[in-house]
Each structure stands twice: as structure tokens, then as C-alpha cells.
Amino acid sequence: PKFALAALIIALSFSLWNNILISESGATGKILSLELGYYIWLISIVTLTIGTHFYFKKYKEVNLLIK
């Protein structure tokens, strides 16, 4: 869950950036707008974060029942 939360924070931070690396040579490009692809990507990471939280919560409950 900690890695999923870190991924979410990093993904959210992209909305604050003005430029992004666009090639291996170090060239950068200006971010003109955040469009549908960014928001779909962000929603997928939110889903991952929520899903792993509930998975490990359920996994912890199952382990407590077994012991």
C-alpha cells in the first residue's frame, strides 16, 4: 500500500509541472494542458491505491481468523 500511495502522490504532482522530459537526450517539452489521458491514468492509480488498501485490510483480517 505504501508504494501505491507514493505512486499516487507522484502522479498528482504532475499536475504542478510546467515541463516534462520528452527524449533521452534531455530535451524537454512544455505541458500545455492536462487532458483525458492524464485523468484516466490518475484514476487508474487511485483505483490501485484503494484496491491494495482493501486487499491488505482483508488479508490482515483473514490472518487474524486463521491464528
Side-chain angles (χ1 to χ4, degrees):
K2 293 178 185 177
F3 289 115
L5 187 57
L8 179 59
I9 291 168
I10 292 169
L12 285 169
S13 77
F14 273 95
S15 66
L16 304 173
W17 292 19
N18 296 322
N19 296 311
I20 191 166
L21 186 66
I22 59 170
S23 72
E24 292 180 10
S25 67
T28 59
K30 187 168 177 64
I31 298 174
L32 301 175
S33 65
L34 300 175
E35 301 201 10
L36 183 62
Y38 171 75
Y39 294 108
I40 291 172
W41 179 62
L42 193 61
I43 289 169
S44 71
I45 296 173
V46 168
T47 303
L48 169 75
T49 304
I50 292 169
T52 54
H53 169 75
F54 284 116
Y55 173 79
F56 284 110
K57 183 177 178 183
K58 182 76 171 176
Y59 180 75
K60 185 177 178 182
E61 290 173 4
V62 169
N63 276 345
L64 292 175
L65 291 174
I66 293 173
K67 291 181 180 182

